[in-house]
């Protein structure tokens, strides 16, 4: 992470487009904010757009804006996210979720450095520093034609890969201490300490939700803490499902179950095949064949 922060400081002062890759919860938004904060655009807007949450029907209106009356409910003119970020930083989160047609629209705006509002024919120049992020395998998607290669080359002038928390366990004590102080202050629970064995439990955990999961885990423990110390029992962590185990013991054959069921039904109805078959839930002819196959004719 020290190397990553050094990279962020190095490229932040440029206007290069940045692509941040990493699993959910690894801190991609924080990295984007750090890039903006270290840039010469830090006094201007940082506009975060979650592309995965925008319906395709509203995509152009959200990103490029619209004029008054351009569509139903468009009661006034409205600037899109590109315009709002002009002079500052535009952070396109979850860019891997875009469909191919929407990728083409984003590419056009990036290439031309201008947008056209819905309902207008006049291009509006925009000056944004573009940062994109995703947890999707963009290179594999590009190879399978699910993501445009030309767009990929446009957004990844510099690439930053954030490793999952399980690959940097040495950071867990620092992060745990940070979130413990943060949430202790937030919930007026100052003085809570993290016991050594509790920290060992956090370090050993695989953290599928990464830093976000760690933060939520610490927050929950602080809220529910009944003493001044957090112990291993204060942290309820998800466990990986274990493979099913075979049950030791004698093997019971299906034929044995069938014989028992038939005997019980035949005894109950004094050998009446029709009623016995109804009791078991099969046809009379099927019951007769089973009796013959199982050697129960005597």
């Amino acid at each position: 992470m020290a190397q990553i922060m050094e990279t962020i400081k190095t490229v932040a002062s440029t206007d290069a487009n940045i692509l941040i890759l990493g699993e959910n919860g690894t801190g991609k938004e924080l990295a984007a904010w750090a890039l903006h904060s270290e840039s010469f655009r830090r006094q201007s807007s940082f506009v975060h757009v979650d592309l995965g949450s925008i319906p395709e029907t509203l995509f152009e209106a959200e990103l490029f804006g619209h004029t008054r009356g351009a569509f139903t409910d468009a009661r006034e003119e409205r600037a899109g996210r590109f315009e709002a970020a002009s002079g500052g930083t535009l952070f396109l989160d979850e860019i891997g979720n875009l469909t191919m047609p929407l990728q083409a629209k984003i590419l056009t705006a990036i290439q031309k450095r201008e947008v056209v509002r819905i309902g207008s024919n006049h291009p509006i120049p925009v000056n944004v520093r573009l940062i994109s992020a995703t947890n999707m395998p963009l290179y594999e998607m590009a190879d399978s034609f699910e993501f445009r290669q030309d767009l990929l080359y446009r957004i990844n002038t510099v690439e930053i890969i954030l490793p999952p928390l399980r690959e940097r366990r040495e950071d867990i004590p620092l992060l745990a201490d940070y979130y413990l102080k943060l949430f202790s202050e937030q919930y007026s629970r100052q003085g809570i300490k993290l016991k050594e064995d509790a920290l060992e439990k956090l370090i050993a955990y695989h953290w599928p939700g990464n830093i976000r999961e760690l933060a939520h885990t610490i927050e929950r423990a602080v809220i529910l803490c009944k003493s001044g110390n957090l112990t291993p029992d204060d942290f309820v962590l998800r466990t990986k499902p274990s493979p099913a185990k075979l049950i030791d013991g004698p093997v019971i054959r299906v034929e044995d179950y069938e014989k028992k069921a038939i005997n019980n039904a035949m005894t109950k109805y004094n050998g009446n095949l029709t009623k016995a078959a109804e009791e078991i839930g099969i046809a009379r002819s099927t019951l007769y064949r089973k009796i013959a196959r199982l050697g129960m004719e005597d």
Side-chain angles (χ1 to χ4, degrees):
M1 287 306 294
Q3 293 178 341
I4 289 173
M5 291 308 298
E6 191 63 32
T7 300
I8 287 174
K9 289 181 179 179
T10 300
V11 302
S13 59
T14 73
D15 246 356
N17 291 337
I18 310 294
L19 175 61
I20 305 173
L21 299 174
E23 295 179 6
N24 285 333
T26 49
K28 296 187 289 296
E29 183 179 354
L30 291 176
W33 175 252
L35 284 162
H36 174 74
S37 300
E38 294 287 334
S39 75
F40 65 86
R41 295 173 179 263
R42 57 183 172 271
Q43 301 299 327
S44 299
S45 300
F46 174 83
V47 178
H48 178 190
V49 185
D50 183 355
L51 296 175
S53 66
I54 301 176
E56 189 165 351
T57 54
L58 300 177
F59 181 83
E60 287 186 83
E62 286 291 324
L63 271 294
F64 310 135
H66 59 78
T67 61
R68 181 180 179 182
F71 52 84
T72 305
D73 294 332
R75 297 185 178 89
E76 58 185 20
E77 196 167 290
R78 181 172 177 270
R81 305 294 181 88
F82 269 86
E83 284 185 71
S86 192
T89 301
L90 179 64
F91 177 42
L92 298 181
D93 201 0
E94 305 298 346
I95 196 167
N97 290 346
L98 291 182
T99 62
M100 294 293 277
L102 299 186
Q103 291 174 31
K105 296 179 187 298
I106 286 284
L107 178 61
T108 299
I110 296 172
Q111 288 178 328
K112 293 185 176 181
R113 290 184 168 272
E114 64 183 28
V115 296
V116 179
R117 293 181 179 180
I118 298 177
S120 171
N121 293 320
H122 302 292
I124 301 173
V126 290
N127 173 21
V128 299
R129 199 280 178 79
L130 185 68
I131 302 175
S132 306
T134 185
N135 63 346
M136 305 284 280
L138 289 191
Y139 291 96
E140 289 87 342
M141 292 171 66
D143 290 341
S144 60
F145 304 103
E146 297 174 82
F147 196 87
R148 294 180 63 113
Q149 287 190 343
D150 46 3
L151 177 58
L152 179 57
Y153 296 145
R154 280 283 180 178
I155 63 178
N156 76 335
T157 305
V158 177
E159 189 175 287
I160 296 174
I161 301 176
L162 298 181
L165 191 55
R166 62 184 174 275
E167 293 181 7
R168 50 187 181 105
R169 296 178 188 272
E170 64 276 9
D171 290 343
I172 292 177
L174 292 172
L175 291 167
D177 182 64
Y178 168 77
Y179 285 116
L180 179 60
K181 292 177 180 177
L182 175 69
F183 294 122
S184 293
E185 182 176 345
Q186 180 177 332
Y187 294 106
S188 300
R189 306 294 301 275
Q190 288 87 347
I192 296 178
K193 297 184 182 300
L194 184 63
K195 299 285 285 184
E196 187 65 28
D197 51 353
L199 179 59
E200 290 174 359
K201 181 177 182 178
L202 297 181
I203 293 173
Y205 183 55
H206 60 289
W207 298 110
N210 294 296
I211 298 175
R212 184 180 296 127
E213 183 182 5
L214 174 64
H216 289 169
T217 299
I218 299 288
E219 182 179 13
R220 181 172 57 247
V222 168
I223 292 172
L224 298 177
C225 182
K226 296 180 180 178
S227 66
N229 295 310
L230 292 176
T231 68
D233 292 338
D234 290 310
F235 297 99
V236 181
L237 304 176
R238 289 185 291 168
T239 57
K240 293 181 179 179
S242 57
K245 295 181 180 179
L246 293 176
I247 300 173
D248 294 330
V251 176
I252 301 174
R253 299 182 306 165
V254 174
E255 288 83 355
D256 295 333
Y257 280 114
E258 290 184 324
K259 282 184 177 180
K260 185 175 181 179
I262 292 172
N263 277 328
N264 289 342
M266 293 292 285
T267 300
K268 181 177 180 179
Y269 293 104
N270 297 317
N272 188 313
L273 288 176
T274 301
K275 290 185 177 181
E278 290 177 355
E279 177 74 12
I280 298 172
I282 59 177
R284 186 179 185 280
S285 57
T286 302
L287 176 59
Y288 184 79
R289 286 195 300 271
K290 284 183 178 292
I291 290 173
R293 178 171 59 83
L294 297 170
M296 300 173 63
E297 293 171 306
D298 293 338

